[in-house]
Amino acid sequence: MRLWHEDLIGKLPRAQLLGQHRECCALRGKGWGKKHATVNYVFEYHPMKLVRYHLLIIEEMKNRGYNVDILWEDPLYRGKQSERWEEEYIASLDEYGRYDEHDDAYMEECAQNLASKGVHII
């Protein structure tokens, strides 16, 4: 799984949006720090950058009327199987912008990946 380019979140089909939520939950929980070729870059940043991204996913899900466990809106929450992040981790989520990797080239890569699945959104 990948983290889709942030500008695509509002255009993702249901399956990809829900898959993105599951991926973010896994990465925030026991998957944190476990290398995977497609998302390795996530671990080079502060965890709150992932939380910020995940909150964008949650916002889009709520806009579409999907039910989301409110616990995931807590930036320190990491799922039922993981210890919460320490209070020191929390800061203004606005401090954590986009992933540097989510540039124009990555946008094109994501668009091509979606197109290969029959999803044309650009």
Side-chain angles (χ1 to χ4, degrees), residues 81-108:
Q81 302 298 317
S82 298
E83 293 293 320
R84 294 171 55 82
W85 274 312
E86 300 293 327
E87 289 289 330
E88 64 194 37
Y89 271 56
I90 201 158
S92 171
L93 292 176
D94 294 333
E95 290 180 32
Y96 303 103
R98 296 173 179 243
Y99 287 104
D100 294 342
E101 289 77 4
H102 289 201
D103 57 14
D104 291 341
Y106 188 67
M107 171 69 99
E108 181 60 30

Side-chain angles (χ1 to χ4, degrees), residues 14-57:
R14 182 180 193 278
Q16 279 76 15
L17 182 65
L18 297 180
Q20 195 71 145
H21 173 60
R22 286 189 301 274
E23 179 72 6
C24 288
C25 292
L27 289 171
R28 282 175 67 175
K30 293 219 177 251
W32 183 256
K34 291 185 179 166
K35 299 291 184 180
H36 185 280
T38 314
V39 294
N40 276 348
Y41 66 90
V42 171
F43 308 123
E44 297 173 13
Y45 295 94
H46 193 282
M48 289 300 119
K49 187 178 282 280
L50 174 63
V51 170
R52 180 197 159 276
Y53 179 88
H54 191 194
L55 291 174
L56 295 174
I57 298 295

